[in-house]
Amino acid sequence: MVDGVILNGPITDSKAGEKFVEEACKIIMEEIIQKADDVTEKVCEWRAPETLKKLLDLEMRDTGESHQKLLQLCQDVIQYSVKTNHPRFFNQLYAGIDYYSLVARFITEALNPSVYTYEVSPVFLLVEEAVIKKMIEFIGWEEGDGIFNPGGSVSNMYAMNLARYKFCPEIKEKGLSGLPRLVLFTSEECHYSMKKAASFLGIGTENVYFVKTDERGKMIPEELEKQVQRARKEGSAPFLVCATAGTTVLGAFDPLDKIADICEKYDLWLHVDVNSVAWNPHKMLLAGIQCCALLVKDNSGLLKKCYSAKAAYLFQQDKFYDVSYDTGDKSIQCSRRPDAFKFWLMWKALGTTGLEERVNRALALARYLVEEIKKREGFQLLLEPEYANVCFWYIPPSLRKMEDGPEFWQKLHQVAPVVKERMMKKGSMMLGYQPNQGKVNFFRQVVISPQVSREDMDFLLDEIELLAKDL
Amino acid sequence: MVDGVILNGPITDSKAGEKFVEEACKIIMEEIIQKADDVTEKVCEWRAPETLKKLLDLEMRDTGESHQKLLQLCQDVIQYSVKTNHPRFFNQLYAGIDYYSLVARFITEALNPSVYTYEVSPVFLLVEEAVIKKMIEFIGWEEGDGIFNPGGSVSNMYAMNLARYKFCPEIKEKGLSGLPRLVLFTSEECHYSMKKAASFLGIGTENVYFVKTDERGKMIPEELEKQVQRARKEGSAPFLVCATAGTTVLGAFDPLDKIADICEKYDLWLHVDVNSVAWNPHKMLLAGIQCCALLVKDNSGLLKKCYSAKAAYLFQQDKFYDVSYDTGDKSIQCSRRPDAFKFWLMWKALGTTGLEERVNRALALARYLVEEIKKREGFQLLLEPEYANVCFWYIPPSLRKMEDGPEFWQKLHQVAPVVKERMMKKGSMMLGYQPNQGKVNFFRQVVISPQVSREDMDFLLDEIELLAKDL
């Protein structure tokens, strides 16, 4: 005993702990995994925040709860959580369940690794290396480098910082003070992480120049060139173009070839294709939140030069193995999760062909949905989609005879929020809506999961009709 | 059929998938969870990178593998991974296994939530709110705000950016160009994330002024004041002090009260105590990688003002519920994992008392180890620890009669890497070493896990003696 604490043997009852894990796993299997493909289950059991707070016993107390109480809490958590695996969860850019990725995630949670040095994460570092190599091959680059990050937004930040470092390596030590104003370009349809990144990195949101898009949401190359010239005239320092291959709302692909020509002409880094790519396998490939890689064409060690801090306590140079495998210093993180592993196991399980099938099916279902929308009265496409994003309005019966004008659009703007409220409270499905570039609220359906089918597409349209029939 | 793709029914065989998950869970239970407290198992099955690449079938192919082959791959991954749960894994600042946290992690992996809006993550957002509130109470603040981040390094970046925003809100839009040089202060024993953050945020590593520490590794307040005055004389803009409560190597606590006085005098943000705190429950509290909160004393919405980008497709303002629960815009991430949940379930299970017991036991074990080190020939403490970090040299028999001088220290410097290589290859334990501030390589033992006992401390010392007896 030291200071009244008994030091012999463990304080944890591991047998009881193991039994608790087993019982909880049974609940997880029955209540989440086995119900994932069951359309008779609700997508969500909606409760308003204040009501849900009362239903859940959220308070943390001085003394612990019994296993029985804890298992009940787990049941409650599951019951009131949104079933993002459900075939009718269409609310975000991820959905569905992949059993292989899920197993990989259970393994990493149980092993609890952190990916920075080979000595601590031998398998996961090699897996990350193999996956990044394969992704680079897939993009079509001859060589490259990369790293898995906690989210695509963070990958975009990495790219922005890399481009800046390439533009002026001294910024790492000296910072931006005293330098000309750095300017980057992206389309007005870009992801909001561009603004977050510019702000976080000290560049400033006003130095993100938004380039006009055409009626399909694609960046207009001529407009880009004008903006670059404007920035030069202002005496600022253009350094980066962030293109988008699949915009968040409309699913538009910027014209990469033409943009690449402009980048070459003005010596700008092109993020999302020529110089770097952010790729999130947790979206259409179902690898599970989060699984996001930043890939960089440069293979001269730019990533490491830009990010390294050389912590002596972690990256000792007198280790007995080849320390080039200690890749943690390429990251802004210290502890880092082995997100490449779930993608790897899934890829092993399905093969490239199986992954391709998933994407093909999603795209085919999106096309099916488009054709159905065209056939049905009251549904109106925003535009003919080029990808899996299907954006449309539903015009309820009372508005169909109305004249086109401000009043019509104002009323239509209010339809989607009401339909959304009704579907949430009913729990039948979840589908997102938003306004965009002067267009009033419309629905956005992105087909992601291979567990969905033609029947789910039909249901989606039927259900909107049903929920909005009195509007 | 559309474009040759069948759209009726699912393409995934969910029954086969569920069976695969069940079989894999059995392996996880038997090979990881049940072995976690078994000291007769190896901590690692060491293989050099090139050998391990050959042992593992890393390649991703066009066609998928059978379930049988995949289960074997899972076995291999587990076999060659480091067992960070093992009672003799002392290599990092995390260790052990907590069964409740593990269950929470399995639940979130199966539910696959992303924490940004209440509609998608009702339970997990409320849980995060409750946990942050409780952590703020625990620190002793009357109010505050906070967010869970992917790692303590990222939390430190958040704090640095918040301090900068508070200093000059315009930086969010305008960036740092044209502004005076921002300077921050931290001790020379700080975590390396300080440099990473300064570089990433565009401040520059040279604008991190490292303050001298005393012989125990604590920041010297008088030196801090000198540095602040120096920065002012240079015409730069001091804005932040990052103190450390438990340094990475020595476990030193900076004198927070005195530092706070200086911060008040010069109007500087104090990160790690007065204005903000980064707290990682994945370390001594065993919540699992990653579980990291940034807590901010300000309750005027500073976090949201500083970070928001107001994406219209996600944070619609015409939702039917109270959108103040959509807290995702406080983050630099878009997708975000519900890391608060594992800490919450663990806290519910153990109670505050149970968490306290864990910390007390770790500290008592560290003190026991210190006393044993003092008793044994050849072991030498670097300094009397004030926390759970026990730093010591082992002087092997051949060096014990040597005169103190450069040759002695040079030889001693080489001891730890050899002992480390031997323990890794034997798989008996894992313990870190590093040089620090002119001191040659020494071992650093940090007692973290409640699954370890006096016997493991004795083993640690016996094993070093055994491995180094011929040196």
Side-chain angles (χ1 to χ4, degrees), chain A residues 153-180:
Chain A
S153 296
V154 175
S155 288
N156 286 339
M157 285 189 180
Y158 266 73
M160 207 177 276
N161 187 41
L162 265 179
R164 176 168 79 176
Y165 179 78
K166 179 84 177 174
F167 179 78
C168 175
E170 277 200 345
I171 290 173
K172 182 174 177 179
E173 287 88 27
K174 304 280 182 196
L176 292 169
S177 166
L179 284 183

Side-chain angles (χ1 to χ4, degrees), chain A residues 3 9 105 316 361 367 433, chain B residues 3 9 316 361 367 433:
Chain A
D3 299 344
R105 295 152 83 187
Q316 303 92 323
R361 178 160 163 126
R367 283 192 294 276
Y433 73 87
Chain B
D3 299 345
Q316 302 93 321
R361 177 157 163 129
R367 284 193 293 276
Y433 73 86

Side-chain angles (χ1 to χ4, degrees), chain B residues 330-385:
Chain B
K330 290 200 283 196
S331 169
I332 56 165
Q333 301 180 275
C334 179
S335 302
R336 193 164 61 92
R337 299 169 54 88
D339 291 333
F341 176 58
K342 50 193 173 185
F343 188 29
W344 176 77
L345 194 65
M346 198 175 89
W347 203 327
K348 293 291 283 187
L350 300 170
T352 309
T353 318
L355 294 176
E356 195 184 350
E357 251 177 49
R358 286 192 174 175
V359 175
N360 286 342
R361 177 157 163 129
L363 294 175
L365 277 166
R367 284 193 293 276
Y368 171 80
L369 184 66
V370 166
E371 294 312 313
E372 287 305 299
I373 284 173
K374 287 179 183 168
K375 283 180 202 162
R376 294 206 189 200
E377 204 191 337
F379 288 88
Q380 194 182 317
L381 280 174
L382 247 81
L383 75 175
E384 195 70 38

Side-chain angles (χ1 to χ4, degrees), chain A residues 236-268:
Chain A
S236 61
F239 75 108
L240 165 69
V241 175
C242 292
T244 316
T247 59
T248 316
V249 177
L250 304 176
F253 285 70
D254 286 341
L256 297 181
D257 285 345
K258 286 186 182 168
I259 293 172
D261 291 342
I262 295 169
C263 289
E264 207 186 336
K265 184 171 167 187
Y266 295 95
D267 198 20
L268 306 171

Side-chain angles (χ1 to χ4, degrees), chain A residues 93 280-286 358-359 362-363 387-388 447-448:
Chain A
L93 288 170
N280 295 358
H282 74 224
K283 291 183 173 158
M284 199 174 257
L285 294 176
L286 273 79
R358 285 192 175 174
V359 175
L363 294 176
Y387 190 52
V447 188
I448 294 281

